Amino acid sequence: MKIEMDNTIIEFHVQYGIRKKISIHIDTAGIIMVKVPNETSEETIIRAVEHHGKWILEKTHQLAEARKAPKTREYQDQGKFLHLGKEYFLHELIETEELNEEELKKNLKKFYISSCKKIIGERISRYQDQLRVKPKTIEVVESKTKWGSCSSNKNLTFNYRLAMAPIEVIDYVIIHELCHLLHMNHDRSFWRRVGSIMPDYKEKEAYLARHGQSMTL
């Protein structure tokens, strides 16, 4: 679900359960979870989010600024970088001889883009068959804020930095975006569909929240 406040879109997930009160949680990745009692109306949920809107905007802004903190990378033969959840020396991923830092960074980015395209291509067919959906286009892009996205035209995009994550985390992002072909928002039906394919999807979300800052160039 989402609302607009102060010219900013606040997008949030809703988790229904046996509880008495509505509570709002924001994790380190800026993902907003609104936990509500069963049978709570959408109108009531929106009012609760609007009531805490100022706090939500301040908190998400603080988290976004923290994620912008620059990371020092060693673009040399012994520098370490993630690929599929494991650390590798730079020379294990790309050719490093007689290349300066700018060339190394450029080639490493090309490596991740190529790797991500290959992995997405291999994995997505499995899950689109299970979900009985078919995206119009699939593209690997550079993004600072999103791991994946689905447009209303059924175009899927994936962040090339996903190649740094474990394969099961990549699978989660693929499943997440494919499920948006069935449900464009994050309502209960959407999360039930995600959970039907990957019951432990929350663990994968938590991985991205914990390690997303280190999955950079």
Side-chain angles (χ1 to χ4, degrees):
M1 295 177 67
K2 58 186 177 182
I3 64 169
E4 183 174 350
M5 187 171 186
D6 294 340
N7 297 316
T8 301
I9 298 297
I10 298 177
E11 187 170 348
F12 55 94
H13 309 315
V14 178
Q15 184 180 91
Y16 294 83
I18 301 174
R19 55 175 51 245
K20 293 182 179 180
K21 297 180 180 180
I22 295 176
S23 61
I24 300 175
H25 306 266
I26 306 176
D27 68 16
T28 55
I31 296 173
I32 304 166
M33 178 67 71
V34 182
K35 297 182 179 181
V36 304
N38 289 324
E39 310 306 326
T40 303
S41 70
E42 184 174 310
E43 183 181 354
T44 300
I45 296 169
I46 289 174
R47 280 204 306 268
V49 174
E50 288 176 337
H51 180 70
H52 293 88
K54 185 176 180 181
W55 171 78
I56 291 171
L57 291 175
E58 289 177 354
K59 183 69 173 177
T60 52
H61 176 72
Q62 290 171 2
L63 291 168
E65 288 299 309
R67 289 196 296 272
K68 288 181 182 177
K71 297 286 183 179
T72 301
R73 291 293 184 185
E74 293 186 29
Y75 285 94
Q76 56 185 13
D77 195 49
Q78 295 299 308
K80 288 188 176 182
F81 293 84
L82 287 169
H83 184 234
L84 298 182
K86 296 181 180 179
E87 279 195 332
Y88 292 87
F89 290 115
L90 184 58
H91 72 270
E92 294 180 292
L93 300 178
I94 62 171
E95 179 61 50
T96 59
E97 291 186 14
E98 298 182 1
L99 296 178
N100 60 37
E101 182 173 320
E102 184 178 344
E103 292 170 328
L104 289 171
K105 187 173 183 178
K106 182 179 178 180
N107 289 352
L108 184 60
K109 184 176 179 179
K110 286 182 179 179
F111 165 79
Y112 281 125
I113 291 173
S114 176
S115 177
C116 191
K117 285 181 177 179
K118 182 175 184 294
I119 294 164
I120 295 293
E122 291 173 349
R123 309 294 290 183
I124 202 165
S125 59
R126 161 189 314 194
Y127 295 112
Q128 68 181 26
D129 288 345
Q130 283 184 257
L131 290 163
R132 298 180 181 178
V133 296
K134 187 174 180 61
K136 186 176 180 180
T137 63
I138 302 167
E139 189 177 4
V140 172
V141 301
E142 180 175 7
S143 174
K144 295 182 179 179
T145 59
K146 294 182 178 181
W147 295 110
S149 65
C150 173
S151 75
S152 57
N153 294 323
K154 298 186 176 182
N155 300 317
L156 302 188
T157 59
F158 297 94
N159 192 327
Y160 79 87
R161 293 187 293 118
L162 279 172
M164 303 179 193
I167 194 69
E168 62 270 18
V169 175
I170 300 174
D171 283 351
Y172 161 66
V173 178
I174 290 173
I175 292 167
H176 185 114
E177 300 311 329
L178 285 173
C179 284
H180 275 315
L181 296 175
L182 300 169
H183 308 279
M184 280 304 292
N185 54 22
H186 291 99
D187 59 12
R188 278 182 289 179
S189 298
F190 170 81
W191 290 112
R192 278 199 296 265
R193 201 69 187 94
V194 172
S196 71
I197 304 296
M198 181 174 280
D200 61 347
Y201 70 86
K202 289 184 180 180
E203 293 180 11
K204 311 306 183 285
E205 283 190 330
Y207 180 94
L208 289 172
R210 287 195 306 270
H211 302 286
Q213 291 183 28
S214 63
M215 292 164 58
T216 59
L217 292 183

